[in-house]
Amino acid sequence: MKHLISIVGSQILPIYYPIKEYTPEYIHLICSKETIFVAERIRNLCQNISQCVIYDPIQPYKIKDIYSICETLHNSYPGDEFIYNLTGGTKPMAFAAHTIAIQKQANIIYTTQENEILDMKTFETHPMQCILQLDEMIQLAGQKTHSYDLLEQINPQDIACAQSIVQFRETNTNYFTRYSKYVRERYKESNMIPLKDNFPHNTLFEQYESGGFKLTRNDAVILDLPYPDALMQFFEGRWWETLVTNAIYEWNCNSVYSNEIWTNVKFSTQETSSPQYQDKNEIDILVNLGTRMLFIECKSGNVKQSDVYKIAQVRNTYGGDISKSVLVSYYPLNPDILEKCRDSHIYVFAPSRRYNTLSNHLKGLGKFLSQVITKLNV
């Protein structure tokens, strides 16, 4: 039988990773009063993996108590394999566990921020082989999802709609800008637009009963979008998110490893949360990198400092420091915003020129993401 003894600190991931890596039959969690909540969260997640035991909280500096617990375990299971995870807890706690582990000739490990496991007897490291699911990682952060879509559920009609919108935007930039500004100032939200309306530039706006709309100017149809989500895509910037999602779908299909990817992710928030916080519980695209998450945010307009703050806040809240963020922007970013992104550890994918053609711009997204993941794995 295999036993994993973990000294529990305030960080949950260094304790959970070895559980997935070694799949022990027994998990023994030694914690203090300050870290028992971490131990309980781990036990809840391990109910279908192993038998998990949480010992009565001890004083962090009472070395004899830790030594006694570990010695009792070895005496109770003679001949079994023991692994000590010393990543968490205080230094005296780790010292006590290390001392008896050496006496009993047990394995001793430490998990690094680079997703490696350090063998503290041979001083050699090796990459973790375990793979966590997105649901697991979100639960480990103490969070829950409200809703999400799977990447493979992307709708071909949405892609066709987005492609028509970007073609119109790049050939009729002034019209697109005026129409968007008109709806934003007059109706606030796209679902408030009437079935028929007179838009700027002598343009007639007409909605279809089955969804979608068309724009007519001087008796000529300049844009026809007979798609159910056309209003949302055109006036709320979802067209860019759709095109980015499609580019990531193609990249994932051609990748050596197929990643678990969610789109339109909404996290659960407390009912008492303020509207400002409610705005920070969404992410456009979420990529599973095995033991960490990649948060991808799509911006079709000019990026502001508040956008950078929101991206960093979502990543820190739902993924922690180990996860990373990518901003995929339709427009180039000004130097101040680029600096803010660097300070916030946000990778940026954006064109170098304002009117760089979209097709050329998005073709490089897959290569860019592969480079980001390679950097994280080095």
Side-chain angles (χ1 to χ4, degrees):
M1 303 288 279
K2 187 186 299 180
H3 300 256
L4 177 62
I5 300 175
S6 293
I7 308 300
V8 181
S10 59
Q11 298 296 318
I12 191 170
L13 289 175
I15 309 301
Y16 190 73
Y17 286 152
I19 295 173
K20 294 286 289 188
E21 186 79 8
Y22 296 104
T23 60
E25 284 80 13
Y26 290 93
I27 303 166
H28 307 276
L29 302 177
I30 302 174
C31 61
S32 64
K33 289 182 179 179
E34 290 75 21
T35 61
I36 190 169
F37 74 97
V38 176
E40 289 174 345
R41 192 183 299 170
I42 291 173
R43 182 170 60 184
N44 291 336
L45 283 165
C46 295
Q47 289 177 352
N48 299 323
I49 301 176
S50 310
Q51 183 173 337
C52 185
V53 179
I54 300 176
Y55 293 90
D56 291 337
I58 62 172
Q59 295 293 328
Y61 303 103
K62 288 196 173 182
I63 293 179
K64 289 184 178 180
D65 291 348
I66 300 170
Y67 189 94
S68 176
I69 292 173
C70 296
E71 187 174 41
T72 300
L73 283 172
H74 282 279
N75 292 335
S76 300
Y77 300 96
D80 283 7
E81 178 185 358
F82 283 84
I83 303 171
Y84 282 76
N85 176 14
L86 306 186
T87 313
T90 63
K91 291 179 181 178
M93 293 173 76
F95 176 78
H98 183 272
T99 300
I100 192 166
I102 293 295
Q103 291 177 358
K104 301 295 184 179
Q105 298 182 337
N107 295 317
I108 310 169
I109 62 166
Y110 184 95
T111 61
T112 73
Q113 291 185 344
E114 289 75 29
N115 281 3
E116 293 179 327
I117 290 182
L118 168 64
D119 187 324
M120 296 186 68
K121 294 176 73 174
T122 64
F123 306 120
E124 294 181 353
T125 60
H126 67 269
M128 294 183 197
Q129 302 299 318
C130 64
I131 296 177
L132 275 60
Q133 300 300 306
L134 287 174
D135 268 331
E136 279 183 286
M137 287 185 270
I138 292 168
Q139 289 181 59
L140 284 168
Q143 306 293 339
K144 296 179 180 179
T145 52
H146 178 268
S147 62
Y148 61 85
D149 299 321
L150 300 177
L151 178 68
E152 53 268 27
Q153 292 175 334
I154 186 170
N155 190 332
Q157 281 195 333
D158 290 340
I159 298 171
C161 180
Q163 290 172 337
S164 297
I165 292 172
V166 75
Q167 183 178 5
F168 177 82
R169 175 170 188 157
E170 295 184 343
T171 55
N172 301 274
T173 304
N174 290 335
Y175 290 170
F176 182 93
T177 302
R178 286 292 304 276
Y179 298 154
S180 299
K181 182 179 180 181
Y182 172 79
V183 169
R184 187 168 57 250
E185 293 179 349
R186 187 178 181 87
Y187 300 111
K188 307 298 182 185
E189 296 180 1
S190 61
N191 58 5
M192 301 301 292
I193 306 174
L195 294 177
K196 186 178 291 188
D197 193 11
N198 293 314
F199 274 24
H201 297 293
N202 297 317
T203 303
L204 177 64
F205 167 89
E206 296 177 281
Q207 291 194 50
Y208 294 115
E209 290 184 2
S210 58
F213 66 91
K214 68 178 179 178
L215 298 173
T216 306
R217 186 171 183 270
N218 297 330
D219 297 324
V221 176
I222 60 174
L223 180 64
D224 189 12
L225 297 174
Y227 306 103
D229 293 332
L231 285 174
M232 185 182 300
Q233 287 217 42
F234 190 97
F235 296 107
E236 297 180 19
R238 295 294 181 90
W239 57 273
W240 179 241
E241 181 182 331
T242 299
L243 292 176
V244 172
T245 299
N246 186 50
I248 291 177
Y249 174 77
E250 293 177 351
W251 162 73
N252 197 47
C253 288
N254 295 321
S255 296
V256 177
Y257 302 103
S258 181
N259 298 285
E260 179 190 19
I261 301 178
W262 294 352
T263 62
N264 303 317
V265 184
K266 293 180 174 61
F267 298 99
S268 298
T269 57
Q270 297 179 359
E271 295 180 0
T272 56
S273 295
S274 64
Q276 291 85 351
Y277 185 80
Q278 294 285 347
D279 184 51
K280 297 181 178 65
N281 73 328
E282 301 178 6
I283 192 68
D284 293 330
I285 302 167
L286 190 59
V287 182
N288 184 351
L289 301 183
T291 55
R292 68 179 88 191
M293 294 180 280
L294 189 65
F295 292 75
I296 301 178
E297 185 73 11
C298 311
K299 300 299 293 185
S300 61
N302 292 318
V303 179
K304 303 186 289 286
Q305 184 172 329
S306 59
D307 296 319
V308 177
Y309 172 75
K310 181 221 169 185
I311 294 170
Q313 183 75 8
V314 169
R315 179 200 62 212
N316 293 337
T317 301
Y318 301 102
D321 293 338
I322 196 171
S323 295
K324 301 298 178 183
S325 296
V326 173
L327 169 61
V328 182
S329 174
Y330 178 73
Y331 287 129
L333 273 59
N334 67 50
D336 290 342
I337 296 299
L338 276 173
E339 184 177 355
K340 290 290 183 184
C341 288
R342 284 193 291 267
D343 292 343
S344 301
H345 306 289
I346 298 171
Y347 293 96
V348 175
F349 181 80
S352 57
R353 293 183 295 120
R354 189 174 184 86
Y355 295 107
N356 189 15
T357 57
L358 176 67
S359 57
N360 290 338
H361 177 35
L362 272 185
K363 282 180 181 178
L365 180 58
K367 181 179 179 181
F368 174 83
L369 291 175
S370 295
Q371 290 173 342
V372 168
I373 293 173
T374 299
K375 288 179 181 177
L376 297 177
N377 291 333
V378 171

